[in-house]
Amino acid sequence: MSTTIEQILDRAFGHPRGLLGRIGGAVMAQANGATESHVVDVARLTPEETVLVVGPGPGVGLRLAGQRAAVAHGVDPSPEMLALAQARCAAEIAAGRVRLARGSAERTGLDEASVDVVVSVNNVQLWDDRLAGFHELRRVLRPGGRLILSAHEKWLPVPRHALAAELVEAGFTELQTWVWQPPGVTAPLAAQFRARRPA
């Protein structure tokens, strides 16, 4: 793949910015919508819980989380994605159910033991330091809190069993992993993980 194509794809999807980032956000909202909805279902959010959505992109899953939980925090490093998420979640933001901030898995900006659930869809492959990210997500979870992570299996940064081992190394327990087929004949298989911060 040429450098120019790689740069275009990175600006649209990897590290969204500018016009290409906004176009990429619209594509992500359509392509990831079913998986985001599925992950929020798997998380089994309750109206008393606080949720962190890592890399909410255009805000599809963040909006769903904000409609089901007490508060949903979204942290994303891309100003373009934060703007799209802000527009999509405007009603939830106005109601105090969604809060957005610039951040990342490694630097959420949240207090220790401040959330009940962390969800991440199709962005673990973009984290600068996965182990640091997993440690940070464990830190912000309350004891007994749960992490739900999903990513296209073919784009995982390491094999699924290796990613599971990294979660264990970061201190997560009760780890489960499986694959899920999103709707659509061309949709890539999703590798999914569920784990807890020890109580």
Side-chain angles (χ1 to χ4, degrees):
M1 186 182 296
S2 74
T3 302
T4 302
I5 294 174
E6 288 175 352
Q7 291 171 340
I8 290 171
L9 290 174
D10 184 64
R11 289 178 78 87
F13 302 108
H15 299 87
R17 54 202 185 275
L19 176 60
L20 283 172
R22 292 190 291 277
I23 293 169
V27 172
M28 284 186 267
Q30 179 67 31
N32 292 340
T35 302
E36 300 228 21
S37 178
H38 173 74
V39 167
V40 170
D41 286 344
V42 168
R44 296 183 180 174
L45 305 178
T46 69
E48 298 79 30
E49 291 183 315
T50 299
V51 183
L52 167 61
V53 180
V54 178
V60 174
L62 180 63
R63 183 180 181 191
L64 290 171
Q67 291 169 346
R68 298 186 190 184
V71 176
H73 294 272
V75 296
D76 201 298
S78 166
E80 284 79 9
M81 292 302 102
L82 289 172
L84 291 174
Q86 184 170 15
R88 177 168 270 108
C89 302
E92 291 75 21
I93 292 170
R97 298 175 66 92
V98 165
R99 299 172 187 168
L100 281 164
R102 193 162 184 186
S104 64
E106 301 91 339
R107 293 171 294 282
T108 65
L110 297 178
D111 292 337
E112 183 169 354
S114 59
V115 303
D116 302 287
V117 183
V118 173
V119 299
S120 167
V121 176
N122 292 338
N123 55 63
V124 68
Q125 72 276 9
L126 301 172
W127 299 359
D128 291 331
D129 184 332
R130 283 191 314 280
L131 195 54
F134 289 146
H135 277 287
E136 169 68 357
L137 300 183
R138 182 184 179 278
R139 184 189 70 82
V140 302
L141 277 169
R142 295 188 175 106
R146 55 205 188 275
L147 166 73
I148 312 294
L149 187 148
S150 179
H152 296 308
E153 187 166 45
K154 69 179 183 178
W155 294 331
L156 284 178
V158 293
R160 186 160 46 107
H161 69 275
L163 198 64
E166 290 178 1
L167 283 163
V168 172
E169 183 181 348
F172 285 94
T173 60
E174 299 183 41
L175 178 68
Q176 298 173 297
T177 181
W178 65 94
V179 293
W180 180 72
Q181 179 62 64
V185 293
T186 61
L189 200 63
Q192 302 191 325
F193 304 79
R194 177 167 39 208
R196 287 187 182 271
R197 174 176 175 170

